[in-house]
Amino acid sequence: MLLDLFFGDAKLKLDVEQHSPIKYFENDTPHKNFMQEFEIRVPYKNIGSQELTILDTWARVYLPDEQYDKLHISAKVNDSERLRNDDYFEAMLVPANKGGELVLGFTAIARNFTADTDVQNLMQECPEFDVAVYAECRGRKEVYIDKEILTVKLQ
């Protein structure tokens, strides 16, 4: 504790207020009528004075059936410099006063789809929803979890 007064510690800042616009991906697969992928980028920075280790990140979509039951939306998190197709997050070191971008990748899948289903219309009807973005971090002290809430409105 006394060392922190002299040397400081690491501290992650997820800046969800400065997120990018939603980027929708082209879907020319046979699933295009009932599935859509999109992403949002969230800047982060180590605002501390020591090196930070981001051990893991994940996201939880808060869109319960009671609010909207026509879509299932899932999310995964990557660093923009370490994009992956699986759900694995590579731990990384972030020097003091440095940062980057987390990429929140989303998949929206229509529920109870038929031949007439159009996921684009379902996304336009979808109310705004929150996404909790979690990061498990470590500096000089014990591991901690940072959580920020991002509000998403689909178009």
Side-chain angles (χ1 to χ4, degrees), residues 77-105:
V77 184
N78 280 291
D79 180 72
S80 63
E81 300 295 317
R82 296 169 181 81
L83 296 176
R84 300 179 61 100
N85 291 324
D86 55 15
D87 286 332
Y88 185 79
F89 181 84
E90 290 183 49
M92 60 187 193
L93 299 174
V94 183
N97 297 308
K98 300 290 183 190
E101 281 185 319
L102 292 181
V103 179
L104 281 62

Side-chain angles (χ1 to χ4, degrees), residues 7-44:
F7 300 112
D9 201 356
K11 177 67 178 142
L12 178 68
K13 168 73 173 142
L14 292 173
D15 199 354
V16 295
E17 299 300 321
Q18 298 300 316
H19 70 81
S20 70
I22 298 173
K23 176 183 176 184
Y24 295 94
F25 293 103
E26 282 288 320
N27 185 354
D28 56 0
T29 71
H31 314 297
K32 66 183 174 184
N33 289 344
F34 63 88
M35 185 181 82
Q36 176 66 58
E37 293 180 314
F38 57 97
E39 75 176 25
I40 298 174
R41 292 178 176 243
V42 174
Y44 68 86

